[in-house]
Amino acid sequence: MNNPPQIYIIVPCFNEKAVLRQTLLPLIEQKYNVVVVDDCSSDASQEALKNLPIYYLQHSINLGQGAALQTGMNFALQQGADIVVHFDADGQHPANEIPDLIQPILDEVADVVLGSRFLDKTKIENVPFKKRILLQAACWVNGWITGLWLTDAHNGFRALNRKALQNIYLTENRMAHATEILSLIKKANLRVKEI
């Protein structure tokens, strides 16, 4: 790994013009390499990015979040990324938690780090009850399908080291990538940690 490591934040974007700039500013302030993958937005999302020091990639047709993440990961690998962080464009992930997310990779105890809304009991209350039940059911189904038993199966806040990037290639373009990535992690025998 380079010293300091090359960290790329992949932000898949589809019609997030209203919040996109505010989502990206804390990432830019923290000096991350930010890669926005615009999945053929129709709301002129690109206008929100004027004068921002980011990489901007655009799909010419809407392919889905999984495809946007894969496009970003391919680009980051070509740029020499040591670590990639998946970060939602709608602002739901806190930029100030990225150092905690990537620390197990820096400590060389994990290849993939998955964010969880359910490890910290104080944050569980922020998730509506019906959504909590649905997510817990998804954890059980994903565990049964993938063999990875997690506390939060569909959290898009995740970090991957270079080894993981080289072993994960998403083919599920839409939201099914959330389960596919877990299967690929298991298949490649990657070390996983939830935080």
Side-chain angles (χ1 to χ4, degrees), residues 134-164:
L134 182 64
L135 289 170
Q136 288 172 349
C139 286
W140 187 86
V141 171
N142 278 342
W144 185 71
I145 292 171
T146 67
L148 287 178
W149 296 93
L150 305 169
T151 63
D152 191 351
H154 284 231
N155 188 338
F157 191 39
R158 56 181 86 90
L160 301 91
N161 69 7
R162 190 166 184 83
K163 177 184 177 184

Side-chain angles (χ1 to χ4, degrees), residues 178-192:
T179 300
E180 181 188 24
I181 198 167
L182 299 179
S183 295
L184 294 171
I185 289 167
K186 182 74 171 176
K187 183 178 177 183
N189 252 352
L190 299 171
R191 298 167 300 162
V192 180

Side-chain angles (χ1 to χ4, degrees), residues 9-190:
I9 312 297
I10 310 300
V11 183
C13 164
F14 180 69
N15 291 338
E16 296 288 356
K17 180 182 177 183
V19 296
L20 187 56
R21 190 174 188 89
Q22 297 88 332
T23 299
L24 299 179
L25 289 176
L27 301 172
I28 294 166
E29 289 169 9
Q30 293 178 40
K31 307 280 192 243
Y32 292 118
N33 297 298
V34 177
V35 181
V36 174
V37 183
D38 186 340
D39 195 28
C40 196
S41 294
S42 59
D43 69 346
S45 291
Q46 189 174 6
E47 290 177 17
L49 306 175
K50 285 184 181 173
N51 303 318
L52 293 181
I54 63 163
Y55 297 99
Y56 178 77
L57 309 175
Q58 185 177 37
H59 288 164
S60 57
I61 60 171
N62 180 264
L63 296 173
Q65 188 180 40
L69 287 170
Q70 189 58 55
T71 296
M73 291 189 299
N74 291 346
F75 177 80
L77 265 175
Q78 291 171 355
Q79 299 300 309
D82 295 305
I83 298 172
V84 160
V85 173
H86 294 171
F87 199 86
D88 287 350
D90 61 7
Q92 70 173 301
H93 299 145
N96 64 343
E97 290 187 9
I98 292 173
D100 292 335
L101 186 73
I102 66 173
Q103 194 60 52
I105 292 174
L106 296 173
D107 292 341
E108 298 182 4
V109 297
D111 301 306
V112 179
V113 182
L114 305 171
S116 173
R117 294 164 279 199
F118 302 111
L119 287 175
D120 183 345
K121 302 298 181 200
T122 61
K123 292 184 180 181
I124 291 174
E125 298 165 1
N126 297 334
V127 180
F129 179 74
K130 287 182 182 178
K131 187 173 184 179
R132 251 184 284 164
I133 297 301
L134 182 64
L135 289 170
Q136 288 172 349
C139 286
W140 187 86
V141 171
N142 278 342
W144 185 71
I145 292 171
T146 67
L148 287 178
W149 296 93
L150 305 169
T151 63
D152 191 351
H154 284 231
N155 188 338
F157 191 39
R158 56 181 86 90
L160 301 91
N161 69 7
R162 190 166 184 83
K163 177 184 177 184
L165 289 171
Q166 292 169 332
N167 282 282
I168 292 174
Y169 188 86
L170 299 173
T171 58
E172 293 289 345
N173 289 352
R174 305 280 172 199
M175 296 310 288
H177 79 275
T179 300
E180 181 188 24
I181 198 167
L182 299 179
S183 295
L184 294 171
I185 289 167
K186 182 74 171 176
K187 183 178 177 183
N189 252 352
L190 299 171

